[in-house]
């Protein structure tokens, strides 16, 4: 194996960090099981003295806070108001391990002196540069050259625990008419996927996968982690068999992607774009490993193409149709053994059936005045089941997941999203959605979108609403424009 690995970004072999070697050696012993263990390290003769020295002596552990995560650390603390000004940011750094190591090993942190003045100047410059980067990415604002507060993009990044760079990429790349291909490309370019490993000679295998997936790019870079992520997601939707190392990489991607898609939904809905529904569809595709053009029946375990074809010929199009079939007819149609039928029953019983009632509160609708929509969601469930009926049945998704729902009021004719709310429905839930409309006639829809199952969504047309001109609409508009400035 040696003591080097191939670094795809730099296209060369580099040494394993000594701390990684120590960790691997530590795994040679099973605590409480082994009294002794042996680790053999194979390396070149020229490297032998180096490893003997560093493996026998204790190594100091240095902080990577300023180089890897300071921006996101500050952003998270600003979002929860732990940091409210630049002085708070300075103070919070003095409580970190980074501050302790600066005084002990100044050369590592590019410090030439450990006097109080030098430390203070260095921290001050670090805080200033970091906060300016966050301002330039529109994640925070600075008032009176001192006070800091989180903006909408910063709150999204902090809530989903994702990089500020990722949110900046989303806000620059996502547009009002971005469709599935664009969404896939933007999500794959997230900073979180930069650590996906690129292995030696892996490009040949990725080329074969690229030939089998439907969505292509103008420029394919088989040695870029973002393009590899793009391919692994498509391979997941197409349910392609992958070798173990790529399957492990794919699991890493899927573990992160739902959070990123939720952030995409929030960024697009912040701009009142109704195509946020596309990111919700992509979330369903990631959980159930299927394309949006596939039959909803494909997500049921053991529903291979021939089974789906038989169902389609029999007029069975949805999971609800499978539920409503008589047992004898279902058994005859599916032609499965007892174990497979149990798996089918488990999925069908977990598949959400929502009863939706909605009421638009009547009144005189005027421009800028709040309009209230009351929505009641009731979930059919078996009283004998415990809380596990909320757990999503998704054989191709590597983690456990609970089903959540997005409630969206939008106007298809103008592609405008007016209000959005994310909820979890255990039994029944009453939700109030409040929004405003400009003057004119509006034909709205209520969308209830599941983030985990395909075909469980509701698309409900609301009564046409005529909005009269508001008395204070002129003054409101002037105030809005002043706020924007």
């Amino acid at each position: 194996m040696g003591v080097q690995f191939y670094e795809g970004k730099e296209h060369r072999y580099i040494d394993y960090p000594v701390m990684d070697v120590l960790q691997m050696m530590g795994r040679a012993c099973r605590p409480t099981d082994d009294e002794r263990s042996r680790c053999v390290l194979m390396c070149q003769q020229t490297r032998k003295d180096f490893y003997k020295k560093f493996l026998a002596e204790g190594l100091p552990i240095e902080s990577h806070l300023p180089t890897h995560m300071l921006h996101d650390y500050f952003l998270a603390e600003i979002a929860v108001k732990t940091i409210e000004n630049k002085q708070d940011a300075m103070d919070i750094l003095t409580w970190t391990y980074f501050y302790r190591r600066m005084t002990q090993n100044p050369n590592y942190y590019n410090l030439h002196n450990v006097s109080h003045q030098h430390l203070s100047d260095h921290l001050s410059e670090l805080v200033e540069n970091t906060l300016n980067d966050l301002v330039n990415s529109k994640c925070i604002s600075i008032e009176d050259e001192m006070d800091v507060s989180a903006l909408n993009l910063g709150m999204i990044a902090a809530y989903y625990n994702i990089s500020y760079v990722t949110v900046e990429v989303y806000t620059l790349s996502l547009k009002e008419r971005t469709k599935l291909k664009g969404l896939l490309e933007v999500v794959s370019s997230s900073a979180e996927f930069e650590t996906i490993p690129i292995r030696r000679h892996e490009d040949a295998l990725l080329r074969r996968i690229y030939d089998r997936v439907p969505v292509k790019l103008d420029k394919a870079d088989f040695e870029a982690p973002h393009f590899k992520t793009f391919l692994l997601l498509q391979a997941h939707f197409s349910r392609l068999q992958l070798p173990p190392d790529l399957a492990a990489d794919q699991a890493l991607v899927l573990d992160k992607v739902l959070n990123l898609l939720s952030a995409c939904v929030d960024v697009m809905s912040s701009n009142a774009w109704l195509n946020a529904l596309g990111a919700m569809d992509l979330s369903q595709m990631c959980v159930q490993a299927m394309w949006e053009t596939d039959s909803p029946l494909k997500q049921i375990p053991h529903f291979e193409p021939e089974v789906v074809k038989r169902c389609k010929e029999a007029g069975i199009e949805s999971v609800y149709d499978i539920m409503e079939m008589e047992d004898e007819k279902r058994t005859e149609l599916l032609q499965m053994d007892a174990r497979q039928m149990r798996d089918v029953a488990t999925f069908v019983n977990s598949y959400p059936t929502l009863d939706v009632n909605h009421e638009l509160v009547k009144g005189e609708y005027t421009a800028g005045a709040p309009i209230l929509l009351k929505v009641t969601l009731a979930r059919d469930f078996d009283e004998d089941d415990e809380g596990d009926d909320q757990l999503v049945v998704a054989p191709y998704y590597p983690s456990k997941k609970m089903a959540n729902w997005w409630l969206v009021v939008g106007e298809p004719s103008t592609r405008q999203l007016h209000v959005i709310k994310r909820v979890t429905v255990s039994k029944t839930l009453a939700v109030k959605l409040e929004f405003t409309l400009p003057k004119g006639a509006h034909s709205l829809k209520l969308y209830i979108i599941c983030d985990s199952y395909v075909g469980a969504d509701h698309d409900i047309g609301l009564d046409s609403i005529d909005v009269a001109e508001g008395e204070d609409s002129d003054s409101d508009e002037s105030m809005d424009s002043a706020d924007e400035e």
Side-chain angles (χ1 to χ4, degrees), residues 256-406:
K256 298 177 180 179
V257 74
L258 292 188
N259 246 12
L260 298 170
L261 285 171
S262 295
C264 280
V265 170
D266 285 5
V267 169
M268 288 192 281
S269 58
S270 299
N271 291 300
W273 295 338
L274 193 55
N275 67 337
L277 299 175
M280 301 176 194
D281 292 339
L282 196 51
S283 175
Q284 298 174 356
M285 291 162 54
C286 289
V287 175
Q288 294 299 341
M290 54 188 287
W291 291 95
E292 61 178 352
T293 53
D294 291 336
S295 166
L297 297 175
K298 187 178 178 181
Q299 61 195 318
I300 306 177
H302 312 300
F303 268 58
E304 303 300 332
E306 61 271 14
V307 179
V308 174
K309 184 180 178 183
R310 282 201 305 271
C311 290
K312 195 170 184 180
E313 290 170 351
I316 304 299
E317 299 281 350
S318 70
V319 180
Y320 297 119
D321 294 337
I322 294 286
M323 288 181 185
E324 293 167 3
M325 291 183 73
E326 295 180 6
D327 291 347
E328 292 181 2
K329 288 185 177 180
R330 187 190 298 120
T331 304
E332 182 182 348
L333 178 66
L334 301 186
Q335 300 174 19
M336 295 180 182
D337 59 35
R339 182 186 62 80
Q340 292 173 326
M341 288 299 288
R342 280 197 302 272
D343 292 341
V344 171
T346 301
F347 178 89
V348 170
N349 290 337
S350 74
Y351 195 76
T353 304
L354 278 189
D355 291 328
V356 181
N357 291 306
H358 65 280
E359 177 194 356
L360 199 60
V361 177
K362 300 297 182 183
E364 292 185 6
Y365 304 127
T366 56
I371 298 171
L372 187 63
L373 176 67
K374 295 180 179 179
V375 182
T376 304
L377 306 174
R379 187 170 181 271
D380 289 346
F381 65 96
D382 190 342
E383 293 184 0
D384 295 333
D385 288 341
E386 300 295 330
D388 280 351
D389 61 346
Q390 282 285 83
L391 208 60
V392 175
V393 178
Y396 291 88
Y397 188 70
S399 307
K400 290 183 178 180
K401 181 171 187 330
M402 304 294 283
N404 300 299
W405 300 81
W406 281 287

Side-chain angles (χ1 to χ4, degrees), residues 367-369 436 472-485:
T436 59
D472 301 327
S473 58
D474 293 338
S475 59
D476 288 345
E477 287 173 9
S478 62
M479 287 176 64
D480 291 341
S481 61
D483 290 340
E484 289 172 6
E485 291 174 4

Side-chain angles (χ1 to χ4, degrees), residues 361-459:
V361 177
K362 300 297 182 183
E364 292 185 6
Y365 304 127
T366 56
I371 298 171
L372 187 63
L373 176 67
K374 295 180 179 179
V375 182
T376 304
L377 306 174
R379 187 170 181 271
D380 289 346
F381 65 96
D382 190 342
E383 293 184 0
D384 295 333
D385 288 341
E386 300 295 330
D388 280 351
D389 61 346
Q390 282 285 83
L391 208 60
V392 175
V393 178
Y396 291 88
Y397 188 70
S399 307
K400 290 183 178 180
K401 181 171 187 330
M402 304 294 283
N404 300 299
W405 300 81
W406 281 287
L407 276 63
V408 177
V409 174
E411 194 165 0
S413 60
T414 59
R415 296 191 180 90
Q416 289 290 296
L417 181 148
H418 295 296
V419 64
I420 182 171
K421 192 177 185 70
R422 192 173 187 185
V423 298
T424 302
V425 184
S426 54
K427 296 179 181 177
T428 59
L429 182 69
V431 182
K432 292 181 180 179
L433 301 175
E434 194 175 279
F435 55 97
T436 59
L437 294 172
K439 178 187 174 184
H442 299 273
S443 181
L444 304 180
K445 278 191 173 181
L446 170 64
Y447 301 91
I448 301 170
I449 311 292
C450 184
D451 70 345
S452 305
Y453 289 106
V454 179
D457 307 333
H458 294 259
D459 181 347

Side-chain angles (χ1 to χ4, degrees), residues 178-187 215-218 230:
T178 301
K179 292 190 167 57
L180 176 65
K181 177 184 175 182
L183 271 170
L184 257 179
E185 194 172 351
V186 170
V187 171
V215 183
K216 310 294 184 185
L217 291 182
D218 297 333
F230 179 77

